[in-house]
Amino acid sequence: MTNEVVAENIIIQDAKLFIDGRYVESLSGESFDTINPATNRKLATVANGGKADAKWAIDVAQRTFASGVWSNMPVEERSSILCKMADLIMKNVDKLAYVETLDVGKPIKESRGFDIPRAASNFRFFAEMAKYMVHEHYDMSRHMSYVQYAPAGVTSLIIPWNLPFMQLTWKASAALAAGNTVVVKPASYTPLSAVMLGEIANEAGLPPGVLNILTGPGSTVGTEMCTNPSIRRISFVGESNTGKTVMRNAAENLIPVSLELGGKSANIIFEDADLDEAVAGSIEAIYRNQGEICLAGSRILVQESIYDLFLDKFVAAVKKIKVGDPTDESTDMGALVSRGHLETVDNYVQIGLAEGAKLAYGGKVVANLADGNFYEPTVLYDVDNKMRVAQEEIFGPVPVIIPFKTEEDAIAIANDSIYGLAGVVWTNDLRRGQRVTSQIHAGLLWVNCWYVRDLRTPFGGAKASGIGREGGRHSFDFYTEAKTITIKK
């Protein structure tokens, strides 16, 4: 029986596994509920897949890959199907955005205005780029060599709960454009939008078995997706310790992995910055998506000469953030993904205060929204970078504000972290911007902006923030095998 929640003429349906072009129940018949973070009430029933389901999906993907129905399809035809998927995503933008908002707890204006349109752009970008990949050619006196980029094979994609549809399409569009077959596992907290991609794939004409979507726990489904010998690529986005487990599991069969992991990025504000611009950008960089984003500028480093002024302006701006119903277009910040995660975030705030940090604003559950997982946008200041709240990823709306004296101090503090995903520098001296970003150990750096992404550029982190790069040709490098073929003339 279908569980239905009707709003904006949209029906939320129960989620099944998508294997070989069909929606099916789990082999065990077991299921679990996905919960609306804004109400903590049941949203839908989800098939609870297990190891046997994962093996089934992988076997289907392997047979489909070996058949050549997708891997040998002319790239122009593959591109056309993927572009149709992009069109269908935009045709269903309202439904997808609403489902995403209900399942994740994020504001509808972010889902509808950015996440889902970006998902369509992911498919269109890689579909078009696949047609123009350059195959290298080298002439020798008596021989000719050329490099052919062949699809790697069955690809496992393990997707996080914070930006589920956008992350899924970012990975799947590139893997599919390269000619691979794909098995996807969305996070159990937020599976609904990912499962909807199966219907879109069928309507676009994607051959059955090319895309398979599994819902279920990482301990069974995820483990099989990382250890099955038929898997030839694994792309994982999530927490750093889980990433280590993925890598250990993949090592048994020497499966190449791409890992995008945690972050504790430095957001550095120099005294010569446009202060209003820096405040607005810093607000966006930590409170977007409730702070549940790996790229968050969660360590705000402020030069001492402007520290008090920045803090006053920043807190004044935070007080204007509207926390509330995620489906309301005027909401700026929605609910955290689960009650357990809300408790984790609150616990970090208490740890920070016990360590000596000061509270400028927030620091508690939103009183009039106590049925949901709503936490106040919080500001901790006078933080020392050695504190746990400065070193550990909170993954919530809790920045820590740290003073610094000189440019050298800022660089040292920024690099004093196990993470190296991203960083931001605010300054009107572009030479300083280039100098500082070149010395920060991170994969993505912005100057006087944040979260601006060109899909042609590499994306990934350093240190505990990950291994490998995806984006543009870097995605194709990962999802293909390079073959050098030499012919005697």
Side-chain angles (χ1 to χ4, degrees), residues 28-356:
S28 69
E30 295 178 355
S31 63
F32 63 93
D33 293 338
T34 184
I35 304 300
N36 183 342
T39 63
N40 278 312
R41 292 196 292 267
K42 176 183 173 180
L43 188 56
T45 298
V46 182
N48 192 29
K51 180 177 180 178
D53 300 286
K55 188 176 186 308
W56 174 23
I58 292 167
D59 288 347
V60 166
Q62 175 57 34
R63 288 199 307 270
T64 304
F65 181 77
S67 75
V69 66
W70 183 250
S71 56
N72 292 336
M73 182 183 288
V75 67
E76 293 81 7
E77 294 180 29
R78 284 206 308 262
S79 177
S80 177
I81 291 172
L82 297 179
C83 284
K84 287 178 184 175
M85 290 182 69
D87 293 340
L88 288 167
I89 288 171
M90 289 310 298
K91 181 180 178 181
N92 292 280
V93 62
D94 289 336
K95 181 177 181 180
L96 286 163
Y98 196 74
V99 169
E100 192 85 330
T101 284
L102 289 181
D103 212 16
V104 179
K106 66 180 298 158
I108 187 67
K109 65 183 179 183
E110 290 182 12
S111 297
R112 184 184 288 126
F114 181 79
D115 293 12
I116 308 305
R118 165 64 187 276
S121 296
N122 289 337
F123 268 99
R124 192 166 287 110
F125 172 83
F126 286 109
E128 289 298 320
M129 186 172 182
K131 295 190 294 187
Y132 301 106
M133 287 296 293
V134 175
H135 292 268
E136 302 153 61
H137 171 271
Y138 304 95
D139 251 334
M140 295 175 279
S141 58
R142 297 182 181 180
H143 299 82
M144 176 186 72
S145 291
Y146 65 95
V147 182
Q148 182 184 75
Y149 292 90
V154 182
T155 299
S156 286
L157 306 178
I158 302 175
I159 308 302
W161 51 257
N162 61 328
L163 298 166
F165 199 72
M166 189 173 74
Q167 290 276 18
L168 163 59
T169 57
W170 156 245
K171 304 291 186 180
S173 58
L176 292 170
N180 300 294
T181 54
V182 169
V183 180
V184 176
K185 194 196 94 64
S188 294
Y189 279 138
T190 57
L192 297 184
S193 61
V195 172
M196 292 169 69
L197 191 63
E199 184 178 356
I200 288 171
N202 282 348
E203 188 173 347
L206 192 73
V210 174
L211 172 67
N212 304 275
I213 305 168
L214 300 169
T215 51
S219 59
T220 53
V221 173
T223 299
E224 182 67 20
M225 289 174 62
C226 296
T227 58
N228 190 295
S230 292
I231 298 296
R232 294 318 314 145
R233 292 292 185 275
I234 300 169
S235 185
F236 170 84
V237 183
E239 187 266 337
S240 297
N241 286 326
T242 308
K244 294 176 185 178
T245 300
V246 168
M247 196 169 185
R248 282 193 292 268
N249 287 336
E252 182 66 26
N253 292 307
L254 297 176
I255 306 170
V257 297
S258 173
L259 304 176
E260 183 198 327
L261 307 176
K264 194 72 178 179
S265 301
N267 181 51
I268 306 171
I269 299 157
F270 286 99
E271 60 188 0
D272 65 345
D274 180 321
L275 201 54
D276 290 335
E277 182 180 58
V279 167
S282 299
I283 292 285
E284 178 77 0
I286 184 57
Y287 299 113
R288 186 184 181 124
N289 208 56
Q290 300 74 245
E292 296 169 322
I293 187 167
C294 56
L295 296 171
S298 50
R299 287 186 297 154
I300 304 178
L301 281 52
V302 185
Q303 199 154 22
E304 285 184 349
S305 57
I306 59 166
Y307 185 81
D308 291 339
L309 180 58
F310 173 86
L311 184 61
D312 289 345
K313 285 178 172 285
F314 186 80
V315 172
V318 170
K319 290 178 179 179
K320 295 178 182 178
I321 294 173
K322 180 180 178 182
V323 182
D325 179 1
T327 65
D328 185 333
E329 290 283 355
S330 66
T331 292
D332 299 315
M333 205 175 88
L336 298 178
V337 74
S338 70
R339 179 66 68 174
H341 186 53
L342 179 144
E343 292 170 354
T344 296
V345 169
D346 183 62
N347 186 53
Y348 266 115
V349 173
Q350 306 315 313
I351 289 171
L353 296 177
E355 289 180 312

